[in-house]
Amino acid sequence: MSTSALKTKAVANGTGQDLWRRAKRIIPGGNMLLSKRAEMFLPDNWPAYFSKSKGCKVWDLDGNEYIDMCIMGIGTNTLGYGNDEVDAAVRATIEAGNMSTFNCPEEVYVAEKLIAMHPWADMARFSRSGGEANVIAIRIARAAAGKDKVAFCGYHGWHDWYLAANLGDGENLAGHLLPGLDPKGVPQDLRGSVLPFNYNRFDELEAIVARHDVGVIKMEVVRNEGPRDDFLRKVRELATKRGIVLIFDECTSGFRQTFGGIHKMYDVEPDMAVFGKALGNGYALTAVIGRREVMESAQSTFISSTFWTERIGPTAALKTLEVMERVKSWERITRIGEAVTARWMALGKKHGLPLTTSGIPAITAFGFKSANALAYKTLITQEMLKKGYLASTLLFVCTEHSPEIIDGYFAALDPVFALIKECEDGRDVAALLDGPVCHGGFKRLN
Ligand code: PMP
């Protein structure tokens, strides 16, 4: 369907908003993922639910079509929604059977593939969510190290081991993607078991390791900024010297700049790596890979779950890896992301709006240097939604973000930037908003 065929009828209080209000009464928090709450975008007017998705397009419950220029399923679909080849493979698996008393062969093929892509790794385990894969990695690493304490940097999911960082000091996770996470329900006894350090602060990690008997270092390789001053190599050397198990969490960074972990770009090898998100192009498969001597420790503990054996996830991942390798998707999405980032900067300059940008090219973000930044983000979402775009200040790029799509997006964004400039010059942004400003992090909804 061409962009001109986009329906742009008013979405305010559509069927999706009604359903979202119903959801919040019977589902605590409204849904299963913070990043997909309507309040994170446009509290009273976000369509919230989809009836269909394809390529980089999404349809709401009222049949309105949108181009997804924001989180693309929160980074799950680098090959676009409903990739034909991946979906055909999944359909074949559904026809043949998704579950049985036997294991699915595809899990062995995916393990072989991931190990071949990462020559330092010898073994793999699978699960179905990123948080889960991180728990598996932490359990195996603690077992291998024979020590409990974890030094970490970045975001690694919702589980006890990680949220324990906020026991006693609610600010510990503030610099690690999601501020405001409350650790209620996490046993107080875990206090002090995980120790945060900031990215590019090797001195902080050194100080932690000097004071505590650390068995595991877990970190994202890159999130908002790249490594400076040989940071990753220094972390690797410290871990090796101290016999600490080093885990790279590549749930989000994997398959976006290299075929596999982004650590391949920096020539630093961990002892374990965790993958999620893009691995199955929208179908659930997450993985932990690692060196044999570390991974074998999985045998000295108990890690086992029913739905880790279903067949759709491994089927989808196997086909996704094949398509990614053939079309070199990581190169394409990196190029698209670099172009988008440059055009955001140029548009800011055109309108006299100083911007910051962050992230790897395929997960790119911009920010306004203004006290009204969150209101401006809300205004972008509101105005772009009217024009048929799902937009915020963050873009997960996919291969379906064609030059025409990107051109259309920038044509639509230009007048919104002009409006924001007027607000910077004194116009009241609140008067332009049809509802409340979006949330900037975790908050209770009721
Ligand atoms: N690790 C990283 C680096 C992530 O970005 C995420 C998700 N944003 C997770 C772990 C958690 O993955 P999931 O939401 O699938 O549990």
Side-chain angles (χ1 to χ4, degrees):
M1 203 178 293
S2 77
T3 315
S4 58
L6 286 176
K7 285 213 242 163
T8 55
K9 90 181 176 64
V11 291
N13 302 314
T15 307
Q17 265 294 317
D18 292 343
L19 193 60
W20 180 240
R21 278 189 287 274
R22 270 162 61 192
K24 283 188 283 188
R25 285 198 294 273
I26 56 169
I27 298 172
N31 68 358
M32 317 311 144
L33 183 78
L34 175 67
S35 306
K36 292 187 184 176
R37 289 182 178 178
E39 284 73 8
M40 298 302 283
F41 295 93
L42 209 53
D44 292 347
N45 290 310
W46 190 243
Y49 295 90
F50 76 110
S51 54
K52 200 170 87 170
S53 65
K54 186 73 183 169
C56 62
K57 293 183 180 164
V58 179
W59 286 258
D60 70 14
L61 298 188
D62 298 313
N64 298 301
E65 178 187 323
Y66 305 95
I67 292 173
D68 196 332
M69 287 298 295
C70 60
I71 62 172
M72 278 298 301
I74 200 77
T76 45
N77 288 69
T78 56
L79 302 176
Y81 298 125
N83 176 276
D84 288 338
E85 287 182 77
V86 177
D87 281 7
V90 167
R91 274 192 202 96
T93 275
I94 294 169
E95 288 297 317
N98 179 48
M99 192 39 105
S100 95
T101 299
F102 285 152
N103 303 285
C104 72
E106 290 81 2
E107 66 190 26
V108 188
Y109 311 149
V110 179
E112 286 170 345
K113 191 109 191 142
L114 288 176
I115 290 165
M117 288 156 65
H118 302 94
W120 56 266
D122 308 294
M123 302 183 98
R125 283 290 303 250
F126 296 104
S127 56
R128 294 296 181 277
S129 86
E132 249 178 3
N134 270 281
V135 186
I136 294 170
I138 286 289
R139 173 77 73 73
I140 295 175
R142 278 173 163 161
K147 293 175 184 175
D148 293 346
K149 288 209 170 146
V150 177
F152 78 92
C153 170
Y155 177 74
H156 306 292
W158 64 276
H159 292 79
D160 283 4
W161 78 265
Y162 179 64
L163 278 193
N166 269 2
L167 290 168
D169 183 355
E171 293 303 305
N172 271 345
L173 290 176
H176 302 265
L177 190 62
L178 280 176
L181 298 180
D182 200 335
K184 285 251 169 52
V186 177
Q188 288 291 334
D189 287 351
L190 293 180
R191 189 168 172 168
S193 57
V194 287
L195 308 152
F197 62 97
N198 284 298
Y199 194 77
N200 272 331
R201 289 295 302 271
F202 183 67
D203 58 320
E204 290 182 4
L205 178 61
E206 263 187 318
I208 289 170
V209 169
R211 272 205 316 275
H212 302 272
D213 197 14
V214 171
V216 183
I217 297 171
K218 148 89 54 111
M219 60 184 295
E220 290 186 75
V221 183
V222 183
R223 186 95 205 184
N224 295 320
E225 50 173 337
R228 280 195 309 269
D229 196 19
D230 250 351
F231 178 57
L232 296 173
R233 194 186 46 78
K234 286 180 185 163
V235 173
R236 173 69 273 179
E237 280 172 6
L238 179 69
T240 304
K241 197 169 80 195
R242 298 267 185 159
I244 296 172
V245 177
L246 175 60
I247 310 171
F248 284 163
D249 180 357
E250 298 251 20
C251 272
T252 289
S253 53
F255 306 100
R256 288 183 216 273
Q257 210 154 350
T258 62
F259 189 41
I262 203 166
H263 65 265
K264 288 164 81 172
M265 262 176 55
Y266 298 105
D267 220 16
V268 175
E269 293 175 345
D271 301 304
M272 304 175 85
V274 183
F275 296 96
K277 303 267 192 195
L279 180 55
N281 202 55
Y283 295 98
L285 190 74
T286 57
V288 178
I289 63 171
R291 300 184 198 277
R292 180 174 307 279
E293 57 277 21
V294 175
M295 292 295 282
E296 289 279 15
S297 293
Q299 313 256 39
S300 64
T301 178
F302 183 64
I303 304 170
S304 169
S305 181
T306 304
F307 280 114
W308 291 348
T309 67
E310 66 80 41
R311 197 181 190 184
I312 289 177
T315 300
L318 201 56
K319 185 53 82 173
T320 298
L321 291 174
E322 182 195 313
V323 177
M324 280 178 174
E325 191 168 19
R326 192 183 69 233
V327 305
K328 296 200 167 26
S329 54
W330 62 94
E331 287 179 7
R332 277 165 65 174
I333 60 179
T334 293
R335 272 200 307 273
I336 297 167
E338 281 167 353
V340 167
T341 311
R343 288 179 73 170
W344 278 336
M345 292 303 279
L347 198 61
K349 205 164 169 201
K350 173 181 167 188
H351 292 283
L353 293 167
L355 302 183
T356 58
T357 59
S358 58
I360 59 171
I363 310 174
T364 180
F366 69 92
F368 295 102
K369 293 182 190 165
S370 165
N372 284 336
L374 214 50
Y376 294 159
K377 173 174 176 267
T378 314
L379 186 66
I380 287 175
T381 304
Q382 171 185 299
E383 295 305 306
M384 293 297 279
L385 193 67
K386 292 176 189 166
K387 301 177 194 204
Y389 291 91
L390 306 185
S392 65
T393 53
L394 168 65
L395 171 67
F396 282 78
V397 182
C398 75
T399 54
E400 300 303 296
H401 285 126
S402 65
E404 298 72 38
I405 295 268
I406 302 295
D407 284 349
Y409 161 78
F410 275 100
L413 192 60
D414 191 318
V416 187
F417 268 47
L419 211 50
I420 290 168
K421 173 63 177 160
E422 285 181 35
C423 296
E424 279 295 89
D425 291 341
R427 189 165 175 183
D428 181 13
V429 61
L432 292 171
L433 293 176
D434 302 332
V437 170
C438 69
H439 292 187
F442 177 75
K443 275 192 207 163
R444 276 193 71 102
L445 293 187
N446 47 31

